[in-house]
Each structure stands twice: as C-alpha cells, then as structure tokens.
C-alpha cells in the first residue's frame, strides 16, 4: 500500500518536472482555459507513459518546490471531464494528501494517471486546442505531435522504484493516527477504526442533533494507511454509518433563501473493505434541487445583481446588504437550479469581488462545488 505523502515527497525530490510527472500551484477547472490546460497535461502524460503511472502534484510552488497546498477537492467526477474531451481517455484518480506544515483545510492534490497503451487525443476542441490534437511530454513541457509517434517505455523502472520507496509501514500508520487525534484535531472529538485488520480510518467532527438526526460539521476523514484525506468540509453537515465492512458518509447541503435551516442530501460515499487487502469507494449523487416561487426568485436574483454592481463600483454596503451578500452564493446557485441559466456565470464572474470576504468566499467555493458535482454526474 503506497503512502501518498511519501510518494509526493519522492516525486519532488527525484528531479524537476519530467515526462512522468508535472507539478502545479493549483488547478483552475472553473474556466475553459483552465480545463484545457489540465486536459492537455493528462493527454501528454498518458501518451508518454503507456507502461507506468504518471502524476500531477497540485499545491507546489514551481520555482523552489515549496509545498503550499491547495483547497480540498472532492470531485471524483473529474474522470467524466476527461472522458468528455479525450478519445481513449486514461483512468485518473484525484486524491487529497495532508501535510503536517499545512493548515488543516489545505492539502496537496495528487492526480494519478493510469497507464494506457492506446493513444489519447482530443475528440473535440476546447479553448485553443482543436479536435484531434495529440500531446506528449518533452521534459517538463506538454507539446503537440502528429498522431503517429514513438512510444516511450524508459520511465517504467524509474517510476516503479519511486513507488516502491513510498510503501507504507506500521510506523507511518501509528504516527498518522496519533498526529490526527492529538495534534490536528485536539479541539474536537476524534475517533479511529480498523477495518479488516489492515485499514485505519480516522475521523473528527463537531456533533449537532437536529430533530432525530445527529449531524457533524467541520468534518475531516482520512485513510491513514495511504495518508489520504477522504473528506473535508468547513460548512456542510455530514452523517456516518459504520459497520465491520463499510464506512458510509452522507453529505448534506444547508440551503435556504434567507437562511440555511433546511438540509438537502448531496452525495453518499461508501467505502467497502475486503479481506484481500482491497477497498473500493462508490459515490452516489442524491441531490434534488429545491424549487421556489419564480416571482420571488426574480426579486432575489435582481437584488444579487445589484449587490455585485455595488461591489464593482466600490460602493459601501449597508447592514442589510452585507447580510444578503453572505447568502449570495447559495441564492445564485438556487436561481441557477431553478432555470436562471446565467446565474452560474454571474457567480463565477463575481469571484474576485467576493474573495476579500472570507465567509462569503467559502460559500462561493461550496456553491461551485455542488454545481460541478451535478454537471459531471453521469
């Protein structure tokens, strides 16, 4: 079992970006340009490594390899984005890896691109990339090539050596459990459970009983063996179901037009553990958008546009408008889900205006996360 934190350290220590790994300060999947860049690197790394895994490390400064981290990214449907644009798409996996020097809301992203013999190409264009484009890695660059090119098999032993040097051991596991409980989450209840005498899951959260259900907020869940953060949420409410073979996480989104007192189930993650040292994660989208009166939504939508206009002009907001600003991301999301097609783009365009307001910006990221999950849920 590979310790992903060790793997990232070994990749960064090996040498600069190469034909089997790339590093990024962050991914931007909100724009077509950001998606195009990401897909180009996936295509190039897959074509350059038909016999071994290749990797993208996210949350690292390009110049000096400083690990600065990025936001937790839980969209397993990133594979659907790859499938939508690439012919012969490789299988990819995005994992969130915590590091001791980072704040607990920050992680390093690890994209694993599985080996695939068939050539990956763009089956449709995006941004400046035209259909039928093919890319490979040349050193640290992803470059376009003709559809016929020589396959590179020279990385296989090198990558295998790096992965073998990143294997987990009992010392790393015990240190991970103690660090999770005693250091990173000493301010809230934290628990751990061993599955199949091999896998260790730690979780922490603040319990809150609403009606007959116990929800947890500020939830952090990690698979300690692989040093992978399975779930992190600063806002959403979460419930757990645990038995000897499975760990089930159901995530709820608090939504409302003037408050957030109604909880809507968003997604369920089931982690199934097997006796043969294998585990599987299945995600099920549960979200059914709430429906509201269109006349009332028109009023709220126009009020949100007015708020954005004031922010653009630098006009100070009164106390009531500041309260409405806190709800702006979730209400624009509700408007989009109720047929206001431009509401999502209005929200995306408002990003630089909302960033100075920490609570509002956190709600902005949560709203886009929900919309992204729905878009790529196929």
């Amino acid at each position: 079992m590979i310790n992903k934190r060790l793997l990232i350290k070994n990749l960064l220590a090996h040498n600069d970006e190469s034909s089997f790994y790339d590093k990024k300060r962050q991914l931007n999947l909100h724009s077509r340009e950001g998606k195009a860049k990401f897909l180009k690197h996936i295509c190039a790394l897959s074509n350059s490594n038909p016999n071994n895994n290749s990797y993208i490390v996210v949350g690292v400064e390009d110049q000096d390899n400083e690990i600065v981290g990025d936001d937790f990214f839980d969209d397993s449907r990133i594979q659907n984005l790859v499938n939508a644009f690439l012919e012969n798409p490789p299988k990819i996996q995005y994992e969130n890896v915590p590091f001791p020097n980072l704040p607990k809301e920050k992680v390093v992203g690890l994209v694993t691109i599985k080996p695939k013999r068939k050539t990956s190409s763009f089956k449709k264009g995006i941004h400046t990339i035209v259909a039928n484009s093919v890319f490979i890695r040349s050193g640290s660059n992803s470059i376009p090539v003709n559809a016929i090119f020589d396959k590179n098999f020279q990385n296989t032993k090198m990558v295998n050596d790096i992965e073998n040097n990143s294997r987990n051991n009992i010392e790393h596991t015990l240190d991970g459990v103690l660090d999770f409980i005693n250091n990173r989450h000493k301010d809230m209840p934290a628990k751990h459970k061993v599955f199949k005498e091999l896998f260790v899951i730690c979780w922490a959260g603040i319990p809150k009983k609403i009606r007959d259900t116990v929800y947890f907020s500020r939830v952090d869940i990690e698979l300690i063996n692989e040093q992978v953060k399975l779930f992190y949420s600063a806002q959403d409410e979460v419930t757990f179901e645990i038995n000897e073979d499975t760990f089930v996480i159901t995530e709820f989104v608090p939504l409302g037009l003037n408050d957030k007192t109604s909880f809507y189930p968003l997604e369920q993650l089931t982690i199934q553990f097997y006796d043969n040292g294998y585990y599987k994660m299945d995600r099920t989208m549960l979200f059914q958008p709430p429906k509201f009166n269109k006349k009332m939504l028109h009023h709220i939508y126009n009020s949100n546009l007015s708020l954005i206009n004031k922010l653009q002009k630098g006009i100070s907001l009164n106390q009531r408008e500041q309260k409405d600003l806190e709800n702006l991301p979730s209400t624009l999301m509700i408007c989009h889900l109720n047929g206001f097609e431009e509401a999502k783009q209005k929200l995306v365009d408002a990003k630089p205006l909302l960033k100075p307001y920490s609570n509002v910006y956190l709600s902005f990221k949560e709203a886009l996360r929900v919309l992204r999950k729905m878009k790529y849920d196929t």
Side-chain angles (χ1 to χ4, degrees):
M1 194 175 296
I2 293 179
N3 183 310
K4 302 303 170 58
R5 186 187 296 170
L6 277 180
L7 176 61
I8 289 171
K9 287 182 176 180
N10 288 334
L11 285 169
L12 295 177
H14 174 70
N15 54 23
D16 202 357
E17 295 164 307
S18 67
S19 56
F20 61 84
Y21 101 96
D22 195 6
K23 58 186 176 185
K24 299 293 176 192
R25 175 61 185 82
Q26 61 184 12
L27 294 183
N28 176 16
L29 299 182
H30 299 316
S31 68
R32 289 183 65 81
E33 180 182 3
K35 290 176 184 176
K37 289 181 178 179
F38 174 71
L39 291 166
K40 178 178 71 173
H41 294 313
I42 294 291
C43 179
L45 286 164
S46 176
N47 289 333
S48 300
N49 296 278
N51 255 16
N52 56 267
N53 290 334
S54 46
Y55 299 96
I56 301 175
V57 180
V58 183
V60 177
E61 292 288 3
D62 191 45
Q63 298 299 321
D64 56 6
N65 271 5
E66 181 187 0
I67 296 175
V68 294
D70 198 7
D71 292 334
F72 180 88
F73 185 81
D74 70 339
D75 195 347
S76 63
R77 292 163 185 82
I78 197 171
Q79 178 72 60
N80 293 356
L81 171 64
V82 175
N83 294 349
F85 285 92
L86 295 187
E87 191 72 40
N88 297 320
K91 288 185 178 180
I92 69 168
Q93 183 177 20
Y94 192 105
E95 295 172 297
N96 298 276
V97 184
F99 272 74
N101 63 307
L102 296 177
K104 61 185 177 183
E105 72 274 9
K106 294 291 184 180
V107 293
V108 174
L110 179 66
V111 182
T112 303
I113 300 131
K114 303 294 185 180
K116 189 177 185 63
R117 290 297 189 99
K118 291 185 177 180
T119 299
S120 295
S121 62
F122 279 77
K123 60 185 175 184
K124 58 182 179 180
I126 178 172
H127 192 50
T128 59
I129 300 174
V130 299
N132 301 316
S133 295
V134 178
F135 292 86
I136 63 168
R137 294 287 287 186
S138 176
S140 61
N141 297 314
S142 298
I143 61 171
V145 294
N146 295 324
I148 300 175
F149 59 93
D150 292 331
K151 294 281 185 177
N152 178 12
F153 298 94
Q154 65 184 8
N155 294 326
T156 303
K157 184 179 185 305
M158 196 179 302
V159 174
N160 286 342
D161 288 344
I162 290 174
E163 291 174 344
N164 287 332
N165 288 331
S166 306
R167 296 288 172 185
N168 197 41
N169 59 44
I170 193 167
E171 180 181 5
H172 291 136
T173 300
L174 290 174
D175 286 346
V177 172
L178 293 174
D179 178 61
F180 186 95
I181 294 175
N182 296 331
N183 297 328
R184 285 185 286 133
H185 297 293
K186 58 186 177 183
D187 60 335
M188 66 175 72
K191 297 182 179 181
H192 75 280
K193 181 174 174 59
V194 180
F195 293 87
K196 302 299 182 181
E197 300 181 349
L198 178 62
F199 302 98
V200 183
I201 284 188
C202 287
W203 69 97
I206 299 175
K208 174 174 58 178
K209 188 169 185 178
I210 300 178
R211 301 181 183 92
D212 295 326
T213 304
V214 177
Y215 297 93
F216 292 83
S217 59
R218 292 177 58 197
V219 172
D220 188 5
I221 306 170
E222 293 183 17
L223 178 60
I224 300 296
N225 308 68
E226 297 187 356
Q227 291 290 352
V228 170
K229 194 183 288 283
L230 298 174
F231 185 91
Y232 179 82
S233 175
Q235 287 193 327
D236 293 350
E237 310 294 334
V238 175
T239 62
F240 303 130
E241 297 174 48
I242 305 167
N243 59 38
E244 293 305 308
D245 301 319
T246 59
F247 191 101
V248 181
I249 308 159
T250 304
E251 178 185 3
F252 294 79
V253 181
L255 280 179
L257 292 178
N258 298 311
D259 56 24
K260 296 182 180 180
T261 57
S262 298
F263 294 158
Y264 296 85
L266 174 63
E267 187 177 49
Q268 189 171 83
L269 170 63
T270 301
I271 310 167
Q272 178 80 41
F273 298 97
Y274 298 92
D275 291 320
N276 60 357
Y278 173 73
Y279 72 93
K280 183 175 69 172
M281 295 195 297
D282 289 320
R283 296 180 184 267
T284 304
M285 193 70 174
L286 306 174
F287 191 55
Q288 295 294 327
K291 300 297 181 183
F292 294 96
N293 179 274
K294 280 291 181 71
K295 185 176 180 180
M296 179 172 57
L297 286 180
H298 271 290
H299 172 71
I300 291 172
Y301 182 65
N302 289 329
S303 296
N304 282 333
L305 296 186
S306 177
L307 280 177
I308 292 172
N309 186 51
K310 286 189 174 183
L311 292 177
Q312 289 173 331
K313 294 180 178 180
I315 300 174
S316 298
L317 305 182
N318 60 38
Q319 189 173 359
R320 174 63 184 174
E321 289 171 332
Q322 290 176 357
K323 180 65 177 176
D324 290 340
L325 183 64
E326 293 178 7
N327 293 322
L328 183 143
S330 60
T331 52
L332 276 182
M333 178 177 71
I334 289 173
C335 287
H336 174 75
L337 296 173
N338 280 264
F340 292 71
E341 295 183 0
E342 295 182 355
K344 179 182 176 181
Q345 191 58 48
K346 295 290 185 184
L347 179 59
V348 172
D349 294 342
K351 177 180 177 179
L353 302 172
L354 303 179
K355 205 165 187 177
Y357 305 88
S358 57
N359 289 337
V360 180
Y361 187 59
L362 189 61
S363 297
F364 165 84
K365 291 191 289 186
E366 289 290 306
L368 286 189
R369 184 174 68 88
V370 173
L371 293 174
R372 187 173 61 245
K373 279 179 177 288
M374 295 190 67
K375 179 177 179 180
Y376 293 115
D377 180 51
T378 58

